[in-house]
Amino acid sequence: MASAAGSSNLMLAIHEKKTPPTDLYRPLRLYIASAYSEREAASADDDLSAVRDLRAAVEQPSLPDPSSLEQRRDALLAYARALALVEPRFPISPDRAHVHSLTFTWHDAFKGNKKCALASIHLEKAAVLFNLGAVYSQIALAADRSTDVGIRTACGAFQSAAGAFAWLRESGVAAKAVAAGATTVDVSPECAGMLEKLMLAQAQECFFEKVIAGGKPPALCSKVARQVGIFYEEAYAALSAPPLSQHFDKTWVSHVQLKAAQFYADACYRYSLDLHEKEEIAEEIARLKIGMSALADAKKAAKGVAAQLLDSVNKLESNMKTNLERAMKENDRVYLMRVPAAGSLGALPAASLVKPTSLAEVLDASKERLFSSLVPDGSMKALSKYTEMVDNIIRTQAEKLQQASEITRVRLKEMDLPDSILSLEGNIALPLDLKEDVEAVQISGGPAGLDSELQQLRDLRRVNQELLVQTEELLQKEANEDAQFRTQFGSRWTRPQSSTLTKNIQDRLNLFAANLKKAADSDSLIERGVKENYPLMSILDKRPIESALPSISRPIMSLDGNEDAIVGALKQSLRQLESLGAQRAGLEDMLKEMKRKDDILPKLMAGVGSHDDLFKKEIAKYDSICAEIGDNIVAQEQLLLQIQAQNEQFAAVFNIEDYKAARERCYKQIAAAVAKYREIKKNINEGLNFYVTLQEAIGKIKQQCSDFIMTRNIQCREMIEDVQRKLAGFNFSSSSHSSMQRNASVPPDQSSPSPPPHAQAPYAAPPGGDSRPGYSQPEPRPAYSQPYPPSYGAPPQQPPYGAPHPGQYQQPPHQPPPGHDYGQPAYPGWRGPYYNAHQPQPQQPGPYPQPPYNAPGAYPPHQSNYYRPQ
């Protein structure tokens, strides 16, 4: 046993078992030559040399450095895989002396003066697995647990060591070694189990060190520590019982005992810290006392343990004593709680974070090629012939079983069993495909949910109509204002009429209106279809749907009152038939399991008697199962005849034919209701998609109209200013000429009143419009005949009306009229699955606003007949 020298918590590693050199080459080669041939022995020479070298590597003592330990581990794994291939080919055992002069000798790992020499492959395998676990423990001990990498390495290696000892015990290798005559205790199942627990305890202890270093909460640390203590307690219990109680050194046993008490006390200590935070002072005091008592008892029994371990225990005891004194003072002065008795407290919670690592993968020898040529061709051909015979029996009997099951299924379906019995008892079921269709309809809302979807159609249609009216009102309002200015200013109002610029938009709006009218007609057809077909579809709203199915009723009048007896006899026969079916399934599994275990290769290799005699003897073991299969099929045929007679009597008494007819009618009604519901549902979904698409199209046109009206307003304002300037200039010239004439006719001394200052004529405004402030008069510039640049997308030679000069204040974009929030959803509260809440964002007006009336818009096609007539 070795200990960790550089760790605050002392841990243990296991020394390997020692073995003297053993020659495997010569005994195995002699066996191959005698059992097979000299040629086979010569061909196996390389494999024999490889096994000899692997054994020699295991015989060498290991070095303590990590790289040497890893090489030692790999050598042991390679030799263990080789032994797995040697075992089935070479009978190495005390009672079978086919391999002469081959004895394995191994010393006890814990008492080196004891050894066992035995001609047993099981002893060799057990010793190799023991050493594999020992090397894993040494790798763990060599890791530097003060680093994260080191503590992970140590934890993983301890779990691998536990996996090696677990494999030694669970695979039966240890038990077989003992049965073969192994006399050393270290390879016994009891010792393997103890070492497995010890390795798990130390792996869990690595986790404890990690959570403590990571500053984890006391409650978690307590759970991890408690599991460490449990593993140590299990190891100590195994050490205290035979055959281990007299085999290990007392100091070694004391170490495990003290470790168990230390981590139990540490769990109490960490748990008490959590209790103190919760102000549960009374239980804190009790837990600390229990932990300190366990430490005191273990220290009394501990003899010869390492000073490092005693220092760690004493430090823990000191901390617990300090906390206990503090808690008792606080309880006496503040809390005044009654300290509970130790027996009244529950067990401390534990959290296991480790388990034995499975070595199945690293010990798998299926890919190794050692001794693969030792099976002779004749034996392989004979084995193939026998396998083919067995496969033929299995296939023939399986076909009989499957045919019998199929006959049962068809006959019962013809007699409508057991559905008729289930219907009589109220357990009615729809055919699976029809039931799935009904469930899909009910999940989607069923016929009762169609009203809400129809309301969505109506709401969407209303929203589209309102959007259309709002858009037309915007255009009409702009056209009216333009007409009023044109009447007021006459020939001076030179910009194009609104009707010539909005023709494309108006055509689209008319098309949308026509589509809405057709959609309204289609909606009416859907609503009429729902109303007319609701009596048919209402059956789909029944939950469960089976409640709509007819059931078998007992006869109103009974002549002899034997209905219950008839039903009981038929049900009993059906149960017997079911038992026969289960028996057939079991027989088929028995056949497959027998074939899986049927390995006659060792007998073929022995070469005793002829192959045909051997095959006849081995095939005979399948006769009993084949006979059981035949009896099962005969019993089933007789039972089916009995069930047929009983069912005819049952059908006559309960009028089954009328029930079947009513059931089929109900099935057809449900199927028709599902089809009609799907048709209407599809039409409604198409309508919803149509309205959502149309709403987006109208929204885009409406935004284009808003942009168009903003452009026209800017042009209108500048044209008014231009007309105002021209009128002001004309009035000023006329008044100056009249004044000069009057001055010439009046004598110089005649005084006349000075003319009043000229008042600028106000610009015209539409009736009811607000007066607008005057604007600075820009330089005269020629007017365009169109309100947008002549070349769409290219900058014009001169800016149109409304284009700002550099540095001139630019008017903000035209705001929509009050009460029209175009960015809001279609109508309040609706969020259907087909509704797209995204609205197109209006374009930011630049120096030359885009002419929206020429931009293409997305809208549904002219022919929008989206549903089929109902």
Side-chain angles (χ1 to χ4, degrees), residues 566-687:
I566 293 173
V567 174
L570 182 56
K571 290 171 65 176
Q572 178 64 26
S573 298
L574 289 174
R575 284 193 290 269
Q576 294 177 5
L577 188 65
E578 185 178 0
S579 298
L580 288 176
Q583 182 184 3
R584 285 196 301 275
L587 290 172
E588 187 172 4
D589 292 340
M590 287 176 60
L591 276 174
K592 295 178 179 178
E593 181 67 15
M594 183 176 290
K595 178 180 180 297
R596 188 183 68 82
K597 295 181 177 180
D598 192 5
D599 181 16
I600 66 166
L601 183 59
K603 296 178 181 179
L604 285 173
M605 299 284 290
V608 179
S610 66
H611 289 167
D612 292 339
D613 293 339
L614 178 63
F615 292 165
K616 183 177 180 180
K617 179 181 178 181
E618 294 296 324
I619 286 291
K621 62 176 170 278
Y622 292 93
D623 292 345
S624 60
I625 295 184
C626 294
E628 290 185 40
I629 292 175
D631 295 342
N632 180 280
I633 294 174
V634 171
Q636 174 184 283
E637 187 60 32
Q638 295 175 351
L639 189 58
L640 284 173
L641 293 175
Q642 176 181 324
I643 290 174
Q644 183 176 358
Q646 292 172 339
N647 187 63
E648 291 174 356
Q649 188 179 10
F650 171 77
V653 172
F654 289 91
N655 199 8
I656 297 298
E657 294 303 322
D658 290 347
Y659 159 72
K660 289 182 180 179
R663 185 184 61 186
E664 290 302 319
R665 287 195 300 271
C666 190
Y667 287 168
K668 291 179 180 179
Q669 179 186 356
I670 293 175
V674 170
K676 179 56 67 176
Y677 175 84
R678 287 175 173 173
E679 177 185 348
I680 293 175
K681 182 76 172 178
K682 178 182 178 183
N683 291 340
I684 291 176
N685 289 340
E686 290 178 357

Side-chain angles (χ1 to χ4, degrees), residues 433-461:
D433 55 346
L434 191 57
K435 183 174 178 63
E436 290 176 350
D437 290 342
V438 172
E439 288 177 348
V441 168
Q442 292 178 345
I443 290 173
S444 65
L450 292 177
D451 288 340
S452 62
E453 298 190 16
L454 290 176
Q455 184 60 41
Q456 288 185 1
L457 280 179
R458 289 190 287 268
D459 291 341
L460 275 175
R461 184 172 68 246

Side-chain angles (χ1 to χ4, degrees), residues 770-793:
D770 296 335
S771 60
R772 305 183 184 182
Y775 292 85
S776 62
Q777 298 181 4
E779 293 294 329
R781 54 175 66 92
Y784 288 103
S785 60
Q786 297 292 338
Y788 55 90
S791 176
Y792 182 77

Side-chain angles (χ1 to χ4, degrees), residues 12-83:
L12 302 175
I14 312 300
H15 288 301
E16 292 184 64
K17 293 171 65 68
K18 290 180 171 47
T19 179
T22 301
D23 180 23
L24 293 181
Y25 180 90
R26 188 171 182 278
L28 295 183
R29 193 184 190 287
L30 289 174
Y31 174 78
I32 296 174
S34 62
Y36 297 96
S37 66
E38 181 61 32
R39 182 178 60 84
E40 292 292 339
S43 64
D45 190 74
D46 291 342
D47 292 342
L48 291 170
S49 298
V51 172
R52 178 186 58 193
D53 294 342
L54 290 173
R55 183 46 158 88
V58 169
E59 294 166 357
Q60 299 297 322
S62 61
L63 299 177
D65 60 285
S67 60
S68 298
L69 290 173
E70 291 177 359
Q71 293 175 4
R72 181 71 171 178
R73 175 201 61 196
D74 296 339
L76 288 167
L77 288 172
Y79 186 52
R81 290 192 293 267
L83 289 177

